[in-house]
Amino acid sequence: MIKVVIALLVIVIVARLILKGYRAEPVLFIAGLALMVCTWFTGWGTVLPKGVSGTGISFLDPFEVMRNLFSTRAADLGLMIMTLMGFAHYMDHIGANEAVVRVVTRPLRTLRSPYVLLFFSYLFASLLQLAIPSATGLAVLLMGTMFPIMLGLGLSAASAAGVIATSLGVAYTPTAIDAIRGSEAVNMDVVEYVVYHQGPAALATVLIVGISHFFWQKHCDRKAGTLPHEIGTTTVIKAGSTPAYYALLPMLPILMAVGSSEIFVTGINLNIITIVLISMAICMLIEWVRKCDLKAVCDGFTHFLKGMGTAFTGVVGLLVAAGVFAHGIKSIGAIDQLILMAEHVGLPPFAMGIVFALVTLAAAVIMGSGNAPFLAFVELIPQIAASMGVNAISMILPMQQASHMGRAMSPVSGVVIAVSSGANITPFEVVKRTALPLIVGFVFHSAIIGIFY
């Protein structure tokens, strides 16, 4: 029991420090190292993972664990994330993301029923994650394009903001960091993971969240006295200079990943990193043909590299730090003891998965980040699932969606702050509009996982 208490105490301290504004990476590094030092000092377990040689000075072995995680994750999973984020930055630079939103939102301008528009706006916004997997980036684009259309049809700013803030509240894109990490945790190809496991439950949940938005936003507008009485004329959005066909470019990695997977063909083995590099080459060639300025196209490659650098500082570092933290929890023996306690009280595997999902949800709300809590806890699931004799995917999926939902319900998250700023309302007003639909979605998604997975 003492091991679990120590682990919980460290988790509480970590959450409190991050909530106070401390940077997550060093806090997680320090916490993980402290737990490993505790393991070494008490002799409760082994600090080094299998296959990693010691330094010869046992109390320095925790730093060898850190080095090993840096070398393995930054070189493989980290590079994958860096190239994807670099590609996303390049899409912003050439205006392809703006073209996606402009093309996809065009059909919405034909709708004349405000709350029907709201429902379909959510579906469209959710669909855009396939091209723009950044919650904040997607929300900012939608605030400049879809938001005026929704206001023009008489919807309140709060209703429109609530829909846009939840555009990535339910995730099913294979280019997202959580999908990549989740698939790696279960040793599965990311496309297979999304298509056969994450996607079906997520798409059903999207419909439920959309329906919940329809009724909840109408209820909130009625209480606030902001029900649309007259349908206005939609604001005409100035068309960008980027051609409409550029809307296909952000989809290239997904199209190539799905098209070259074993779902459709055999004998082709394209790594995600290779796919992104091929996509970059195609996009740069198209830019060259359109602009006839090779120097400008070459200069634009800087945005790809800057995106990779941003990913390393913002995501890959967090990924490694979360690994160190999770290894510290495992090394101290807290997970083994937690499993024994669950078996002793008769807690079924599904209930254990829901507990982890609720913890992830709460952490995401507190931290304002979807990646940090999921990456910290997903490390632990394969071991727990194996010990309980269940499929790890059934425990990972609720956590994965909980991290996205929690971020959209957090008043300190980047996406909520960006949306509230654009709508000129408080973050708490946005959270009021996002919370109930996402809670309904969380319950529905958990039920699907419990029944079918």
Side-chain angles (χ1 to χ4, degrees):
M1 184 65 183
I2 185 65
K3 299 175 184 177
V4 175
V5 171
I6 291 173
L8 288 175
L9 181 62
V10 171
I11 290 172
V12 169
I13 293 172
V14 166
R16 186 170 179 80
L17 289 175
I18 293 175
L19 184 60
K20 284 187 173 183
Y22 285 71
R23 190 168 177 86
E25 292 90 338
V27 171
L28 290 170
F29 275 132
I30 293 169
L33 289 171
L35 287 167
M36 284 186 274
V37 169
C38 182
T39 300
W40 166 77
F41 184 76
T42 58
W44 283 340
T46 304
V47 171
L48 292 169
K50 292 180 181 179
V52 177
S53 302
T55 60
I57 307 174
S58 56
F59 68 86
L60 295 180
D61 284 345
F63 291 95
E64 179 63 18
V65 173
M66 185 186 294
R67 182 209 63 79
N68 178 65
L69 285 169
F70 261 115
S71 63
T72 54
R73 295 200 172 178
D76 187 11
L77 180 62
L79 183 59
M80 185 186 303
I81 293 169
M82 287 163 65
T83 53
L84 282 167
M85 289 194 69
F87 182 75
H89 274 248
Y90 187 71
M91 291 299 98
D92 270 333
H93 166 65
I94 65 175
N97 285 341
E98 183 271 333
V100 171
V101 178
R102 192 173 73 242
V103 169
V104 172
T105 57
R106 189 173 297 156
L108 296 178
R109 303 176 199 179
T110 62
L111 296 175
R112 288 294 178 266
S113 173
Y115 291 102
V116 171
L117 168 73
L118 183 143
F119 173 75
F120 282 105
S121 293
Y122 172 71
L123 297 186
F124 274 118
S126 176
L127 185 65
L128 285 172
Q129 67 179 272
L130 294 173
I132 309 168
S134 164
T136 304
L138 177 57
V140 169
L141 282 169
L142 292 174
M143 288 302 293
T145 51
M146 187 182 289
F147 186 72
I149 297 173
M150 298 173 80
L151 293 188
L153 281 177
L155 286 168
S156 68
S159 288
V163 166
I164 290 173
T166 57
S167 54
L168 240 168
V170 182
Y172 49 87
T173 173
T175 57
I177 296 158
D178 56 285
I180 295 170
R181 185 65 192 92
S183 64
E184 188 194 57
V186 294
N187 297 314
M188 186 179 293
D189 176 71
V190 66
V191 174
E192 181 185 354
Y193 175 81
V194 172
V195 171
Y196 290 115
H197 302 285
Q198 181 186 353
L203 291 174
T205 305
V206 165
L207 289 175
I208 296 300
V209 172
I211 294 169
S212 300
H213 266 307
F214 182 95
F215 292 104
W216 178 242
Q217 304 309 334
K218 193 171 186 177
H219 169 76
C220 290
D221 284 343
R222 184 181 291 111
K223 287 190 67 176
T226 55
L227 277 173
H229 297 292
E230 295 182 6
I231 295 179
T233 56
T234 59
T235 304
V236 177
I237 298 172
K238 184 179 179 181
S241 60
T242 309
Y245 65 83
Y246 264 49
L248 292 173
L249 300 186
M251 302 293 292
L252 282 177
I254 294 174
L255 294 174
M256 291 180 66
V258 174
S260 63
S261 68
E262 293 185 357
I263 299 172
F264 297 105
V265 294
T266 56
I268 297 178
N269 184 24
L270 286 177
N271 184 277
I272 293 293
I273 299 171
T274 306
I275 287 172
V276 173
L277 294 176
I278 294 170
S279 300
M280 272 297 300
I282 293 172
C283 293
M284 291 181 71
L285 179 61
I286 292 173
E287 272 282 276
W288 183 23
V289 171
R290 185 171 78 92
K291 292 184 174 180
C292 298
D293 188 344
L294 182 59
K295 185 177 185 300
V297 173
C298 291
D299 289 342
F301 190 72
T302 304
H303 292 272
F304 175 75
L305 298 176
K306 285 181 178 178
M308 290 183 68
T310 301
F312 186 84
T313 56
V315 179
V316 178
L318 178 61
L319 192 67
V320 177
V324 172
F325 177 60
H327 183 76
I329 292 175
K330 285 189 286 187
S331 70
I332 204 173
I335 299 303
D336 293 332
Q337 200 165 68
L338 190 63
I339 293 169
L340 290 174
M341 290 169 60
E343 291 174 348
H344 181 70
V345 299
L347 195 64
F350 175 70
M352 178 72 86
I354 295 302
V355 168
F356 271 98
L358 288 171
V359 171
T360 303
L361 181 71
V365 171
I366 292 170
M367 298 178 188
S369 167
N371 289 329
F374 177 73
L375 294 177
F377 293 125
V378 71
E379 304 271 349
L380 312 174
I381 299 303
Q383 179 186 349
I384 295 173
S387 300
M388 303 185 82
V390 297
N391 184 0
I393 294 176
S394 65
M395 299 182 74
I396 289 175
L397 289 178
M399 290 173 53
Q400 190 176 350
Q401 298 300 351
S403 67
H404 286 276
M405 294 176 180
R407 176 180 56 203
M409 290 191 283
S410 171
V412 296
S413 69
V415 61
V416 169
I417 291 172
V419 169
S420 64
S421 176
N424 291 319
I425 57 178
T426 67
F428 292 98
E429 183 65 23
V430 175
V431 170
K432 177 183 175 182
R433 298 302 186 110
T434 64
L436 188 133
L438 290 176
I439 290 172
V440 171
F442 176 78
V443 173
F444 178 79
H445 183 268
S446 299
I448 288 180
I449 300 301
I451 295 170
F452 296 105
Y453 288 73

